[in-house]
Each structure stands twice: as C-alpha cells, then as structure tokens.
Amino acid sequence: MTRGLRARSLLVALFFGATLPAGAQDFSALARMDVAQSGAADSRRAATVNLFLSQPVPYRVFTLDTPRRLVLDFKEVDFRDADQIAFTRSAWIEGARFGGLRPGWSRMILDLSDPMQIDAAGMQVDTTDGTAQIDVVLSPTSEEEFARTAGLPDDPDWAFETEDTSLQPVPAPADDTLVVVIDPGHGGIDPGAEQGGIHEADVMLALALELASALGRIEGVQPAVTRADDTFVPLQERMTLARGSRADLFISLHADALEGLQATGASVYTLTDEASSFASTRMAERHDQNDLLAGVDLDGQGDEVALVLQDLVRVETEAASERFADQLVQAMQDTGAVLNSRPRREAALAVLNAADFPSVLLEVGFLSNPDDRARLTTPQGRAPIVAAVTLAVGRWAIEEAALKPLIRQ
C-alpha cells in the first residue's frame, strides 16, 4: 500500500504492474465487487474503505467538496447486488452510491460527515486466484486543508470520451424540422428515487425511448435522447448534448418519491428564479444536488456579458416554455393521463436553465404512490403520457409557427 499520499486530490492509484496467474482474466475486463466482504468501517482515528474485486482494474481516488465526498473511479466494476445502506459502518462516511458513469467506467461516491484526508490508497493482488483488494485509509483534517486538496484531478489518461455518450450526433435538420430532445432523468451512478426496488432512472429511460419512438413517427419531428442506457450524464452535459443536436424543445422526465405523502399524478415544471413552494424547493434540491454529488458544479459558467446575452434570449425561450407547458397539461387531460392537483409548477432547476431552447420538466408521477408506481412501470400505463406529450408537441408546433411572424427577430 502506498503511504502518505497528500497531494491535491490524493490521486492516482493505478494498478498495471502485477503478474497475474495463468488463466486469470485481463484487468481490462469487467470486475465484480464481493459485496459480502467489501465495505467502509472505522479503525481508531481513521476510516477504512476495503473493496474486494474478482480481478484487478485501473482505478483512481480523490475527494470533492461542497458537499464533502470521497470518489473512486474504476475501469470498470460491476456493483450488482451491492447495498448502499449496508456498505458503510463508519461514523465518518454517511452514505454510499455506486454504479455506471460512462460506458466502460464505474464510480463510487462516499459521503463524508467531516473533512477527511486520504492517508493511503493501494491495491493488492492475490497471485493464486487473481482477485484484488483495494484499501483506502482516511483520517480527519481541517476544513481548510480539505478544501485545498479537493477537486477533480487534471488527469488526461482518465478523460472521459465524449463520443461514447448516448446522444449520437444527429444530421443537420431541415429548416422545417422540429428537434425534440427527451431527457430521461438520472442514470448510472445516480439512480434517482427508489421505491420497492424500482428506480426512477430505469422507468424514465423506458418512457423516454417509448416517447422518442412515438415522436419519430410524426412527419417533421426529429427526436433525440440524452441517454439511451443506464449511464450517468451530468446536468451540464445534458444541455450541451441538446444544444449539439440543435434542440428546438427539451423535455426532462422525472418521477419523485415522497415518503409519508400520498401525492399522485403528473405535473409540469418551468423555470423560475425562486422556488415558490415546498415541492418546488425539494425538486431543486434533489435534482441539482445529485449532479453536485457526481462532481459537477454548475455555478459560474459564464461571464457577465454572456449572462446578459443569455437573459435576453431567455425572454423568448421562457415564454415558449410556458406555452408548451400549458399545451402539455391540456393534452394530458385530453388523453386521460393522471394529473396532480397542481399540474403547473415552477422551480429553479438547473436542467431547465438553457437560454437557447424552450425547456420543461415533466414529473410524470410519484413512485411512492402505489397507483402511480403501477402505471409507470408498464408500457400500457405509460401510454397516456406518451400520447399526451406527442399531442402537445404537435399543438405547440402549430402555435409557435403562428406566433413566429409576431416575435421580434
């Protein structure tokens, strides 16, 4: 084990040099984590993370701030059957999340209750059976020192390949083509809400693919999705992908879970500067913080001039967003989709913050509600939502075409 690692982000523990026994798998293949042996625990004045893998893999470890967390990236590990609650028995590590980050990449995020520094990180390989053990030792440090050393490493060898993203480049659309980007919320390391073993990310992906298929059958409409499988896509990158596809409309799909509440039905969110209700505040906290937990900070993305220009453009795109949201609520009433008692809402959501195309967030229901959950987990139950979005897109396109000559160019 390598001792005394105290450089910025305490990086990079890559295993390349061990000699594997005959017949052992190459470490470029997928490794499996032994969930029974792996976990986080305390030892005197330290916290230890021990991972037992079926084979060695390249990995790196670093810390991130606001909120404080320890991050381990792998190429690549199967975390199937891992229990996020049972994984940690450490007073300094409050929670764990793990899953896919990009095709070929996996990530583990451990929430830290206090500032901790990485004292040691290393991998040991059993030369008999080819299994590997990764050990990370953490000790308390000051807030100032933690902030100084935390941050995403500047490591070109681990740069993620943008061409692997699920949103493939689309041909330049014709002038009269309406490009609709469907954004299934969460994915990979961020499964979203969970109820009864059902994850929001999986349900939203199924809905997004069904919706893209339905929109693709409409002449003059070109659908795209921000992810087509269970991979993590940061909020900022979702905007970049939509922009690269020349989006005319962006629809983000989500399904919340509110413990102890019997909320039901769909609601449509548009952007506002301030959340005006408990539900709106919770939406902003939950969705935006998930992106921060994966290491992406959306603040400070433009200078003063750029922000002014964005605000000018947003005057028109926000109005178009409001019109589509109204059309969507009406279409859901027309198709018999179940609506919330307050179907039109506003929230300060980063996923709606693009200035150059209209955006809405469709909360299709609540996984915490048994009736909603039953509807959302079957194609038949999702069909009225697919029909409503398709109908709303058509109506909105006609409305926008009629308004276009009246909008200031």
Side-chain angles (χ1 to χ4, degrees), residues 71-344:
V71 180
L72 292 95
D73 286 338
F74 309 88
K75 190 178 179 181
E76 121 184 71
V77 172
D78 181 357
F79 295 110
R80 196 176 311 163
D81 300 327
D83 188 325
Q84 298 184 9
I85 297 176
F87 181 85
T88 177
R89 298 174 297 280
S90 167
W92 283 302
I93 299 176
E94 298 178 320
R97 288 168 308 288
F98 17 74
L101 182 64
R102 291 288 193 282
W105 299 86
S106 304
R107 172 167 286 185
M108 173 179 287
I109 300 174
L110 304 179
D111 301 320
L112 302 177
S113 61
D114 297 291
M116 303 287 285
Q117 66 184 10
I118 302 171
D119 281 342
M123 176 185 283
Q124 301 175 17
V125 179
D126 189 320
T127 57
T128 302
D129 59 11
T131 59
Q133 178 180 341
I134 295 175
D135 300 301
V136 180
V137 180
L138 305 170
S139 65
T141 188
S142 66
E143 292 187 4
E144 294 77 14
E145 180 65 14
F146 183 89
R148 186 186 68 81
T149 60
L152 190 66
D154 182 13
D155 183 4
D157 291 335
W158 285 75
F160 296 122
E161 299 294 335
T162 55
E163 60 266 24
D164 285 342
T165 185
S166 57
L167 180 61
Q168 299 300 321
V170 296
D175 291 341
D176 57 350
T177 298
L178 180 70
V179 178
V180 181
V181 175
I182 308 300
D183 174 47
H186 308 283
I189 188 69
D190 173 21
E194 187 273 336
Q195 195 78 22
I198 297 171
H199 292 101
E200 178 183 5
D202 298 332
V203 179
M204 294 306 97
L205 177 60
L207 176 60
L209 297 178
E210 292 164 355
L211 181 54
S213 177
L215 290 171
R217 293 192 290 268
I218 302 177
E219 184 176 356
V221 175
Q222 181 173 293
V225 295
T226 56
R227 66 180 180 93
D229 53 21
D230 187 28
T231 55
F232 175 77
V233 182
L235 291 181
Q236 185 182 6
E237 187 171 323
R238 294 171 192 255
M239 301 295 98
T240 301
L241 294 171
R243 193 167 291 114
S245 72
R246 302 173 179 85
D248 296 302
L249 177 64
F250 181 88
I251 306 172
S252 189
L253 304 175
H254 291 268
D256 207 347
L258 300 176
E259 297 299 334
L261 300 178
Q262 292 303 310
T264 183
S267 51
V268 184
Y269 285 79
T270 51
L271 184 68
T272 186
D273 290 337
E274 295 183 1
S276 58
S277 68
F278 167 78
S280 296
T281 301
R282 187 181 187 282
M283 283 285 293
E285 290 174 346
R286 185 169 73 86
H287 293 302
D288 293 355
Q289 187 177 12
N290 279 339
D291 203 60
L292 288 173
L293 289 173
V296 179
D297 188 348
L298 298 177
D299 292 333
Q301 294 300 317
D303 59 21
E304 184 176 351
V305 174
L307 292 174
V308 171
L309 293 175
Q310 288 179 7
D311 287 341
L312 291 174
V313 175
R314 192 174 282 115
V315 170
E316 295 180 0
T317 55
E318 281 190 357
S321 300
E322 297 281 345
R323 290 191 292 268
F324 178 75
D326 293 339
Q327 290 284 8
L328 183 52
V329 170
Q330 182 60 56
M332 295 190 80
Q333 292 174 340
D334 295 342
T335 62
V338 178
L339 282 169
N340 186 262
S341 58
R342 285 186 54 210
R344 277 289 285 112

